[in-house]
Amino acid sequence: MESYLTRLNQYRCMWVLVFFDLPTETITERKAATRFRKNLLDDGFAMFQFSIYMRFCPSRENAAVHIKRTKNALPKKGKVCVMQITDKQFGMMELFHGQKEVEPEPPSQQLELF
């Protein structure tokens, strides 16, 4: 029974990925790009690669909240793409460093203080 619930959760839980290519030619553009990146970090996103940030969301509804926040923080210039995938799809990702396959890092443990 537990594997059935786990499988359901893998399809319900979402990962939100934000891809962006922002101009940094002027001081104003650099500030806008930095502000956008800082907003992502403040909203719980983590850097996956340069200009690619990701965030785990326990439900589609929660993912929609973070996508809306990202849209509200969009800079005036540049390209931004927001993609959401299921936890199951994210788990099927293959990561490579050079030609060697790399094991993905296990998610960090959240500590609960009493």
Side-chain angles (χ1 to χ4, degrees), residues 17-66:
L17 290 99
V18 178
F19 306 83
F20 57 90
D21 186 13
L22 303 176
T24 57
E25 299 291 318
T26 66
I27 292 174
T28 305
E29 290 173 342
R30 280 193 294 276
K31 284 184 180 181
T34 301
R35 187 172 34 255
F36 180 71
R37 184 180 160 278
K38 186 175 180 333
N39 284 338
L40 290 174
L41 293 171
D42 289 345
D43 195 29
F45 283 82
M47 188 169 67
F48 183 66
Q49 290 185 358
F50 294 119
S51 298
I52 301 175
Y53 284 69
M54 65 181 184
R55 185 186 201 292
F56 177 78
C57 297
S59 68
R60 292 179 189 273
E61 296 79 14
N62 184 258
V65 168
H66 294 288

Side-chain angles (χ1 to χ4, degrees), residues 12-114:
R12 180 153 172 71
C13 297
M14 303 297 293
W15 285 88
V16 177
L17 290 99
V18 178
F19 306 83
F20 57 90
D21 186 13
L22 303 176
T24 57
E25 299 291 318
T26 66
I27 292 174
T28 305
E29 290 173 342
R30 280 193 294 276
K31 284 184 180 181
T34 301
R35 187 172 34 255
F36 180 71
R37 184 180 160 278
K38 186 175 180 333
N39 284 338
L40 290 174
L41 293 171
D42 289 345
D43 195 29
F45 283 82
M47 188 169 67
F48 183 66
Q49 290 185 358
F50 294 119
S51 298
I52 301 175
Y53 284 69
M54 65 181 184
R55 185 186 201 292
F56 177 78
C57 297
S59 68
R60 292 179 189 273
E61 296 79 14
N62 184 258
V65 168
H66 294 288
I67 290 170
K68 185 176 180 181
R69 287 182 189 162
T70 301
K71 288 179 180 179
N72 289 337
L74 290 174
K76 292 181 181 180
K77 295 182 180 179
K79 296 178 184 178
V80 178
C81 171
V82 179
M83 180 173 67
Q84 54 183 321
I85 60 174
T86 65
D87 189 43
K88 178 71 173 176
Q89 291 168 322
F90 189 82
M92 293 187 297
M93 186 183 327
E94 293 183 64
L95 299 174
F96 297 92
H97 187 323
Q99 294 180 347
K100 189 185 267 188
E101 186 170 3
V102 178
E103 286 294 319
E105 293 182 24
S108 59
Q109 292 289 333
Q110 177 130 6
L111 299 176
E112 186 174 320
L113 301 175
F114 295 85

